[in-house]
Amino acid sequence: MKSAEAQLFEISRQLSPSQRRQWLNYGVRLRARKARKTVTPKENGDEAWERIIADPRPRPKLAAMVGKIRADLKAGKHFPALRVEDL
């Protein structure tokens, strides 16, 4: 039985140049989707947040939440005091 690498190479040789580009783009999207879903055990929380913050995709739910918090603060509504039990 051939290795997966050999099979992929053999398949790619049978595709047209435009099909190869499509296949490559699909592979890149699959890898990116997997990378977004997994957080490596070595990554600390700050690094994860920095990665999320740097992501250029729009986050409408997050933007709406931030807008509501800003409006509450502007209206004089403040968060309740933090208690030791909350930690």
Side-chain angles (χ1 to χ4, degrees), residues 42-55:
K42 296 177 187 174
E43 184 175 51
N44 68 34
D46 288 340
E47 289 171 357
W49 277 113
E50 291 299 325
R51 186 175 33 64
I52 291 167
I53 291 167
D55 190 335

Side-chain angles (χ1 to χ4, degrees), residues 67-78:
K68 182 183 180 318
I69 291 170
R70 285 183 176 161
D72 287 349
L73 289 172
K74 201 175 211 180
K77 297 178 185 175
H78 299 286

Side-chain angles (χ1 to χ4, degrees), residues 14-47:
Q14 297 170 4
L15 299 174
S16 70
S18 69
Q19 289 173 320
R20 280 189 207 130
R21 279 192 298 278
Q22 289 175 356
W23 193 32
L24 175 63
N25 290 338
Y26 176 71
V28 168
R29 285 192 312 269
L30 277 178
R31 184 177 55 195
R33 183 173 32 169
K34 183 178 184 207
R36 282 193 308 262
K37 288 184 178 180
T38 60
V39 175
T40 61
K42 296 177 187 174
E43 184 175 51
N44 68 34
D46 288 340
E47 289 171 357

